[in-house]
Amino acid sequence: MAAYILRRLLLIPVTMFGILLISFAIIQFAPGGPVERVIAQITNTDVSATVRIGGGEGGDFSGSAANNAASGGGVSSKYRGAQGLDPEFIKKLEKQFGFDKPAHERFLKMLGDYIRFDFGESYYRDVSVLSLIKEKLPVSISLGLWMTLLSYGISIPLGIAKAVRDGSRFDIWTSSVVTVGYAIPNFLFAVLLIVLFAGGSFFDVFPLRGLTSDNFAELNWYQKVGDYIWHMTLPILAMAIGAFATTSFLTKNSFLDEIKKQYVMTARAKGLSEREVLYGHVFRNAMLIIIAGFPGAFIGAFFAGALLIEQIFSLDGLGLLSFDSIVNRDYPVVFATLYIFGLMGLLINLISDLTYTWIDPRIDFESREV
């Protein structure tokens, strides 16, 4: 097993290099980079972005700064909309954003910085990227962790009950409910919850925005716990509604497959009760694929499943940060989140494989190729 883990760990840098190289190459051909956005703002063709130059010392581009930048006459430029701007100003912009160097030098520098987890500063927020990510982590961890726990906590018992009562009215009714829940988009269910329970047209029970209340710091510990749960109830329900189906049906089918095997018939023939057969013999084998998939399910909910929910409930997490960074061409944040997400995804995949061997020692990854 040690050799297998070592091989997997050695593959992580190679995989991350490929991910970053492909992403960096795509970015080079993407229109509307940070320099173009500043030019558009100066020429009054884009008012959606505010960029600071010189490490936050130059101030915002407006008023006299825009007039001074436009004093260069009709000089041609490789940037769309830059005609008439001072060439020195364009060079200053390129240096500010690092575009004064060839692409391969910028890529190699990025690799060197990322190995040290030095992600630089955001183009538009005048703060380090790592600080931004740490600031958004509590929201994303809350959504991902509690959604996954709620989903597994309901889906696994439900799947077992459906397997035991296969073909019964309970099985058919719960399958219909779970399937309908899976078919409803989580953002649409979130809007429905707001209308019903967050001061829409009916009840005003839960808050509409934020992770905690404004007076959270003044509350004692149990009031803080209650306030946190109060704020997280609707977002978690909205995210979890579609997650029940996959785990429930997977649990049911796994149990049905195991129940039909010879060792179950042997256990019953020995006089064991149905409960002893189900939880003493079937459970461990049937839950192998379910439990081993927990790390991957969590990382998926943690990083990718909450963008619309964060937007609807005004929760400022990593999903919303990544989306805004892509829209605003905030490349340091884009590549940093890609790097962190990719690295954690590869590590989680390794943990999932190790979980398989922990649950079932018969599985041997040493005997297969990586």
Side-chain angles (χ1 to χ4, degrees):
M1 179 56 67
Y4 172 77
I5 295 175
L6 180 60
R7 290 198 302 269
R8 289 290 297 271
L9 291 175
L10 291 176
L11 279 175
I12 290 178
V14 179
T15 306
M16 289 305 305
F17 176 83
I19 292 173
L20 291 175
L21 178 61
I22 294 173
S23 302
F24 187 85
I26 293 174
I27 287 296
Q28 305 311 304
F29 298 100
V35 175
E36 287 92 335
R37 289 184 65 82
V38 176
I39 293 172
Q41 184 182 8
I42 292 173
T43 56
N44 296 323
T45 58
D46 182 10
V47 294
S48 61
T50 299
V51 183
R52 301 181 69 88
I53 194 167
E57 299 175 358
D60 297 338
F61 288 112
S62 61
S64 61
N67 295 331
N68 292 336
S71 62
V75 180
S76 62
S77 174
K78 62 181 178 180
Y79 300 107
R80 185 175 56 183
Q83 290 78 10
L85 295 180
D86 187 351
E88 294 299 322
F89 174 76
I90 300 297
K91 291 180 180 179
K92 188 177 181 182
L93 277 181
E94 290 179 331
K95 184 177 181 179
Q96 166 67 19
F97 295 119
F99 290 101
D100 58 329
K101 299 177 181 178
H104 68 278
E105 291 186 16
R106 287 186 279 121
F107 180 70
L108 293 176
K109 181 180 184 303
M110 182 180 72
L111 289 180
D113 292 339
Y114 280 19
I115 291 174
R116 305 191 306 271
F117 284 87
D118 178 10
F119 303 115
E121 292 191 354
S122 166
Y123 287 161
Y124 304 104
R125 294 176 174 87
D126 198 23
V127 65
S128 71
V129 174
L130 204 55
S131 298
L132 268 177
I133 294 175
K134 290 180 179 178
E135 179 185 339
K136 313 300 181 184
L137 271 178
V139 172
S140 296
I141 290 177
S142 296
L143 291 174
L145 178 61
W146 294 119
M147 192 280 285
T148 306
L149 291 178
L150 178 64
S151 173
Y152 270 66
I154 295 177
S155 299
I156 291 176
L158 178 61
I160 296 174
K162 286 171 65 62
V164 174
R165 300 171 177 83
D166 183 39
S168 66
R169 289 185 177 180
F170 172 81
D171 181 34
I172 296 173
W173 179 78
T174 52
S175 295
S176 301
V177 173
V178 169
T179 302
V180 170
Y182 181 75
I184 299 175
N186 58 9
F187 70 89
L188 186 60
F189 188 66
V191 173
L192 177 62
L193 290 176
I194 290 174
V195 172
L196 291 178
F197 302 111
S201 302
F202 295 91
F203 306 101
D204 189 4
V205 180
F206 296 98
L208 182 59
R209 61 183 65 246
L211 191 63
T212 56
S213 299
D214 294 335
N215 64 335
F216 184 78
E218 303 171 3
L219 304 177
N220 54 44
W221 71 268
Y222 61 87
Q223 289 176 326
K224 288 182 178 180
V225 172
D227 182 76
Y228 173 77
I229 296 175
W230 185 46
H231 281 77
M232 292 301 299
T233 299
L234 294 188
I236 295 301
L237 287 177
M239 289 184 64
I241 185 65
F244 294 137
T246 302
T247 310
S248 297
F249 288 127
L250 187 59
T251 303
K252 174 190 173 181
N253 294 333
S254 297
F255 268 78
L256 287 177
D257 289 341
E258 294 296 325
I259 288 174
K260 298 176 183 178
K261 292 184 178 180
Q262 184 65 39
Y263 74 89
V264 176
M265 298 176 61
T266 303
R268 286 172 176 165
K270 290 181 179 180
L272 296 179
S273 67
E274 194 66 23
R275 183 177 183 84
E276 290 175 328
V277 171
L278 188 63
Y279 291 101
H281 294 76
V282 176
F283 185 83
R284 181 175 181 178
N285 294 327
M287 292 305 297
L288 173 62
I289 190 172
I290 309 297
I291 298 176
F294 179 84
F298 168 66
I299 207 71
F302 179 43
F303 288 134
L307 173 58
L308 293 176
I309 299 300
E310 289 178 12
Q311 183 70 42
I312 292 172
F313 290 99
S314 300
L315 298 172
D316 195 7
L318 287 176
L320 193 57
L321 173 66
S322 300
F323 177 76
D324 290 341
S325 301
I326 293 173
V327 171
N328 293 321
R329 303 297 194 271
D330 197 350
Y331 293 152
V333 179
V334 172
F335 280 110
T337 52
L338 176 67
Y339 180 80
I340 294 175
F341 293 178
L343 185 61
M344 291 192 67
L346 293 172
L347 292 174
I348 289 297
N349 285 335
L350 176 58
I351 293 174
S352 295
D353 286 348
L354 298 180
T355 307
Y356 275 109
T357 62
W358 175 67
I359 296 174
D360 189 351
R362 295 173 299 175
I363 297 177
D364 183 17
F365 288 108
E366 289 280 6
S367 60
R368 73 171 193 176
E369 295 295 331
V370 178

